[in-house]
Amino acid sequence: MIKETLRFHPPIPLLVPREASRDVKVMGYDIAAGTMVVTNAWAIGRDPELWDEPEKFYPERFLSSSIDFKGHDFQLIPFGAGRRGCPGIAFAMVTNELVLANLMQKFDWELPHETKGEDLDMTECPGVTTRRKIPLLAVATPCC
């Protein structure tokens, strides 16, 4: 679930810009030394050449896959890759897993009133970080 969320909604859609240290050719494009390069993690996560049904939120796609978000598999790089990857990746993932596990274990979740899942607007707003245009409202009921 977490991998699919990071693929479909990366926390920072445009990764930190980097400067090309030497002239290089990438996918037929000449990149001169000194050029600022910005990687679009959002577009990589929705590339139909890399993903089957990229516009569908489908967590099961990672059940039998070795693809990971730690920067070794370039089709999933929400935290960047290589020696310039995010140094806080381990802390972020432990925190995400702990918070998600506690929220799922200690609460029953529902949509308010007569709202249906298919009626939710998942439109995103542009910006430094990704957020929903219309905030999600959910009702948490303590269980046990």
Side-chain angles (χ1 to χ4, degrees), residues 3-121:
K3 287 181 185 180
E4 181 68 352
T5 301
L6 290 171
R7 180 198 70 84
F8 205 61
H9 303 287
I12 301 176
L14 299 175
L15 300 179
V16 177
R18 302 290 177 212
E19 185 176 310
S21 58
R22 58 183 160 80
D23 292 346
V24 66
K25 190 173 202 112
V26 177
M27 297 178 69
Y29 294 95
D30 293 319
I31 312 278
T35 303
M36 291 301 280
V37 178
V38 179
T39 304
N40 189 339
W42 184 90
I44 292 170
R46 293 167 191 257
D47 187 344
E49 292 183 15
L50 300 173
W51 305 101
D52 294 333
E53 299 182 81
E55 292 298 324
K56 181 180 177 188
F57 186 80
Y58 184 65
E60 292 82 5
R61 78 175 76 229
F62 289 101
L63 284 178
S64 60
S65 172
S66 64
I67 295 173
D68 206 0
F69 49 77
K70 295 178 182 169
H72 302 292
D73 302 299
F74 294 118
Q75 64 266 46
L76 184 63
I77 54 169
F79 298 101
R83 64 182 183 180
R84 304 260 189 219
C86 177
I89 186 172
F91 178 73
M93 292 317 300
V94 167
T95 303
N96 283 339
E97 291 170 7
L98 182 64
V99 169
L100 184 59
N102 277 295
L103 287 173
M104 299 312 303
Q105 178 190 19
K106 297 180 180 181
F107 295 95
D108 289 325
W109 293 91
E110 298 177 345
L111 293 172
H113 306 295
E114 297 177 13
T115 307
K116 296 179 182 165
E118 51 271 2
D119 296 336
L120 294 176
D121 183 0

